[in-house]
């Protein structure tokens, strides 16, 4: 298949592992958008389902967890990271999964979706831009954020007013596809060499 038109493999990284988390509600909404986008084939890594130690010690338990997570990150052409905002930043569990990996992120685009209170998780998203820049990943400009996220969805997990978030998701995913194809094609011509 021509790589110009081949769908991109995108890994959705669900970044919350807090008890009673709201993340799965937003993740389900986001997965509907990923699946509806003809250019994307989604896969999920949920931080709550990982069992990685924060010591970065390659114990047998860590190796087992990495066997589940690392291939999903490695085969991705692009990422969407879903983060809540805890204490003006992103959760430690999300950072831990990110830190366990390096080459898996290189020269790939990252779309950011955040949720929280009044700030909508935007501070967490901005902090993630710095982290992914260090890992040689490219964050796309536009984000999706949910301000007062709990009040934005009904009890069945449907958005009360989907017009704004749906438009933001389309813009972000279109940018992700452009960057994903551009970087995938560039790496075929000239492999990325991170010093």
């Amino acid at each position: 298949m021509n790589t110009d038109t081949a769908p991109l493999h995108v890994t959705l990284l669900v970044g919350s592992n807090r008890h009673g988390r709201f993340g799965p509600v937003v993740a389900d909404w986001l997965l509907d958008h990923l699946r509806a986008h003809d250019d994307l084939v989604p896969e999920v890594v949920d931080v709550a389902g990982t069992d990685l130690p924060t010591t970065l010690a390659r114990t047998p338990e860590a190796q087992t967890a990495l066997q589940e997570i690392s291939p999903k990150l490695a085969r991705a052409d692009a990422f969407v990271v879903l983060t809540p905002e805890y204490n003006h930043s992103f959760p430690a569990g999300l950072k831990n999964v990110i830190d366990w990996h390096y080459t898996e992120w290189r020269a790939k685009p990252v779309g950011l979706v955040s949720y929280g209170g009044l700030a909508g998780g935007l501070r967490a998203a901005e902090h993630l831009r710095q982290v992914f820049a260090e890992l040689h990943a490219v964050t796309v400009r536009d984000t999706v954020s949910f301000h007062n996220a709990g009040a934005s969805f009904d009890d069945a997990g449907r958005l009360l007013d989907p017009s704004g978030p749906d438009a933001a998701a389309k813009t972000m995913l279109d940018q992700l596809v452009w960057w994903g194809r551009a970087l995938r094609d560039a790496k075929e011509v000239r492999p990325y060499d991170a010093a």
Side-chain angles (χ1 to χ4, degrees):
M1 180 178 274
N2 184 341
T3 59
D4 288 345
T5 58
L8 296 169
H9 291 272
V10 60
T11 296
L12 168 60
L13 180 55
V14 181
S16 174
N17 60 354
R18 184 176 278 187
H19 177 72
R21 65 193 180 135
F22 190 73
V25 174
V26 183
D28 287 345
W29 172 84
L30 189 53
L31 274 169
D32 286 343
H33 283 273
L34 290 167
R35 290 179 180 128
H37 207 292
D38 292 339
D39 298 314
L40 299 173
V41 176
E43 192 163 25
V44 176
V45 170
D46 190 340
V47 170
T50 66
D51 194 19
L52 290 171
T54 57
T55 61
L56 300 181
R58 292 201 173 265
T59 63
E61 294 80 14
Q63 290 297 112
T64 300
L66 289 170
Q67 287 173 1
E68 178 70 24
I69 301 164
S70 300
K72 292 179 181 180
L73 301 180
R75 70 178 154 254
D77 298 303
F79 303 97
V80 174
V81 177
L82 171 61
T83 185
E85 184 174 310
Y86 298 161
N87 301 319
H88 283 216
S89 195
F90 54 90
L94 174 57
K95 183 68 160 61
N96 193 43
V97 169
I98 293 169
D99 287 349
W100 269 97
H101 299 89
Y102 181 65
T103 57
E104 291 85 355
W105 308 113
R106 286 194 314 197
K108 295 178 184 179
V110 180
L112 300 170
V113 179
S114 63
Y115 62 95
L118 290 176
L122 291 173
R123 292 172 291 217
E126 289 307 308
H127 290 170
L128 281 167
R129 287 187 193 283
Q130 297 171 42
V131 172
F132 282 114
E134 179 62 21
L135 294 168
H136 298 260
V138 178
T139 56
V140 301
R141 180 194 178 277
D142 285 84
T143 62
V144 180
S145 64
F146 291 95
H147 306 267
N148 297 315
S152 299
F153 291 82
D154 66 17
D155 291 339
R158 291 183 302 265
L159 272 173
L160 298 173
D161 181 7
S163 58
D166 286 353
K170 181 184 182 332
T171 298
M172 185 266 294
L173 291 176
D174 287 349
Q175 290 174 10
L176 192 74
V177 168
W178 188 92
W179 278 104
R181 285 187 171 153
L183 290 169
R184 181 175 64 186
D185 293 348
K187 288 183 289 187
E188 286 185 11
V189 174
R190 184 178 299 122
Y192 185 76
D193 183 21

